[in-house]
Amino acid sequence: MKPVSGTNLEQARAHNRRVVIEAIRVHGPLSRAELARLSALTVQTVSNIVEDLVAARLLKAEEPRRLPRGQPITPYSLNPDGAYSIGLELERDHAGGVLTDLSGAIRARARRPALRPGPDEAIPLMAGLVEEMIERAGIDPQRLLGAGLAMAGRYQGEGVTSLSPVALPGWAGFPVATALSGRIGLPVLVENDASAAAIGERLHGVARGLGSFVYLWLGGGIGAGLVLDGQLYRGSRRNAGEIGHMTVVPGGKPCPCGKRGCLDRYVSLGAVHAHLGIGDPLSLDPAELDRRLEAGGEGIEAWLDEAVGPMRQVIDTFELAFDPETVVIGGAMPPGLLKRLAERLEPLPPPLDPKAERALPRVILGATGKDTAILGAAALPVFSQTNPQFDVLQKRAR
Ligand SMILES: [Zn+2]
């Protein structure tokens, strides 16, 4: 097979460093011998890499394991303080941020209200959040890998919006990633909520180590994040998984997009609010929905009855199209409500091969709750700088 690109020694070392970090992220603390076995590298190569990574403070040595015979074995784990990342989200009513360490733990949070901000307001606002969180966390800014931003699509290309998440002029053709990066002096990666959440679950959550899975994001609308063969699949214009306006009920409810029976009208917070008789979701305090759910949630059952059919249809479509290991459900919807929806999904449509052995259930709930997009955004720089498959992808793209 013809090699896709030349690899020099430095590139190979950088790639192998990613392989070692990923192995420890997926399996937990590992010794040099275990790392060599898992990565198919020599013990000598692994030893050199481990030494480099310990010196860079990305790995740390754990307590040696004593064995009945021979030398004790030292396992290595990721050093949470070795690197940090920033996750940002821009919604219709606020901008929010988290600063996480290498393990994904939140070290600082910040949030400011902003009603449907345009770029002139949003970029300085987010830069302010970044500054505030760095100061509050008391970390060395040199150890920041970058910032990720989760915002609803749609996109024209690399970090350039085509339609605004806030339906206001000013965002069309706006280079979000470049503008924000110039302002905060860090690399910036931009993805839609569903893709960011998928990466977050892949790095720290229920999809850790999975090669292929689909993330169904339920929030104001519905979208899908696709991780296929270890890589985030974005599509030719970065709009893969924008499924909100696929027809699930022919001739069904009218949609602002002009069609009828769109998925968004049945499975989204907007659809829940419609069943509860709330006109504008923006006028509702998010905690209010939780309170109504606890109080029995009149109208919720009716929504579940209506949502479960379209949801089964979507899961069936993605399973047949992509053969994923599992479908993860999560998003900005209250976790209690997502759980009730998930519990109602059975019986799912029969799988393609009912006898196939499964390591995971067909549908699982995401681990990160309502923070899923913002934690996913923080995971983007970590994933892009430590995941070996992503590294190969970038090399090919050059
Ligand atoms: Zn529509």
Side-chain angles (χ1 to χ4, degrees):
M1 196 171 79
K2 208 170 144 238
V4 281
S5 67
T7 286
N8 62 36
L9 202 58
E10 198 38 56
Q11 276 178 337
R13 277 174 75 94
H15 178 72
N16 290 341
R17 279 197 287 267
R18 287 167 179 258
V19 169
V20 166
I21 290 172
E22 179 72 0
I24 293 174
R25 188 186 295 290
V26 170
H27 297 278
L30 294 170
S31 70
R32 281 175 279 205
E34 287 165 333
L35 279 166
R37 203 159 50 239
L38 281 165
S39 62
L41 295 167
T42 65
V43 174
Q44 186 54 53
T45 303
V46 166
S47 294
N48 293 342
I49 292 168
V50 166
E51 203 174 296
D52 283 356
L53 292 174
V54 169
R57 290 182 46 207
L58 292 172
L59 292 188
K60 63 181 171 111
E62 297 284 323
E63 276 297 301
R65 282 185 226 142
R66 311 239 164 253
L67 298 175
R69 280 186 303 173
Q71 296 282 322
I73 289 174
T74 304
Y76 291 88
S77 63
L78 293 183
N79 176 14
D81 284 305
Y84 305 96
S85 183
I86 283 168
L88 296 163
E89 69 179 353
L90 189 61
E91 293 289 341
R92 297 198 299 175
D93 60 346
H94 75 274
V98 293
L99 190 152
T100 68
D101 64 26
L102 195 55
S103 74
I106 296 174
R107 296 297 188 89
R109 266 182 193 278
R111 183 185 167 108
R112 284 186 200 159
L115 203 57
R116 305 182 179 206
D120 290 350
E121 187 188 349
I123 297 297
L125 188 71
M126 289 191 285
L129 291 178
V130 170
E131 214 169 281
E132 187 184 324
M133 289 190 293
I134 292 173
E135 197 181 316
R136 205 179 298 161
I139 57 141
D140 175 4
Q142 298 294 322
R143 293 203 164 262
L144 274 168
L145 295 175
L149 169 62
M151 54 190 262
R154 304 166 185 176
Y155 295 100
Q156 274 178 359
E158 199 76 35
V160 178
T161 46
S162 73
L163 284 179
S164 115
V166 288
L168 272 186
W171 287 97
F174 184 76
V176 192
T178 313
L180 186 58
S181 177
R183 190 87 185 213
I184 64 176
L186 288 168
V188 173
L189 296 168
V190 181
E191 297 291 348
N192 66 46
D193 299 322
S195 293
I199 293 299
E201 292 288 353
R202 169 68 178 71
L203 203 63
H204 306 297
V206 295
R208 202 186 311 204
L210 292 190
S212 297
F213 69 97
V214 173
Y215 186 102
L216 291 179
W217 161 271
L218 276 64
I222 180 168
L226 304 169
V227 174
L228 303 175
D229 291 336
Q231 287 154 9
L232 183 66
Y233 181 77
R234 297 185 175 91
S236 62
R237 283 170 291 269
R238 295 174 64 91
N239 288 316
E242 290 286 342
I243 56 172
H245 298 282
M246 71 195 258
T247 305
V248 288
V249 181
K253 297 183 186 186
C255 180
C257 78
K259 295 200 294 184
R260 297 186 83 94
C262 293
L263 182 59
D264 250 7
R265 298 291 95 200
Y266 298 86
V267 189
S268 65
L269 273 177
V272 177
H273 287 118
H275 272 276
L276 294 174
I278 303 157
D280 180 8
L282 268 186
S283 65
L284 184 76
D285 169 9
E288 175 63 22
L289 186 55
D290 292 329
R291 279 194 290 275
R292 290 196 188 199
L293 282 171
E294 270 173 37
E298 204 178 320
I300 296 288
E301 281 302 318
W303 173 69
L304 287 168
D305 285 342
E306 197 178 83
V308 74
M311 199 62 183
R312 285 183 188 132
Q313 192 179 325
V314 168
I315 291 165
D316 196 33
T317 305
F318 276 104
E319 283 188 338
L320 294 172
F322 298 113
D323 190 21
E325 285 159 80
T326 189
V327 175
V328 181
I329 299 180
M333 196 171 269
L337 190 52
L338 284 173
K339 190 161 170 278
R340 283 173 68 176
L341 179 61
E343 284 164 359
R344 288 281 283 272
L345 288 172
E346 290 290 355
L348 287 165
L352 200 56
D353 179 2
K355 289 200 190 111
E357 276 190 33
R358 303 190 58 92
L360 288 168
R362 286 168 74 183
V363 177
I364 52 180
L365 282 173
T368 40
K370 281 187 188 177
D371 276 334
T372 185
I374 204 167
L375 285 172
L380 293 171
V382 181
F383 187 76
S384 79
Q385 291 187 44
T386 62
N387 182 275
Q389 277 150 318
F390 197 86
D391 163 57
V392 170
L393 183 75
Q394 284 179 320
K395 258 187 234 160
R396 279 184 193 152
R398 262 177 221 141

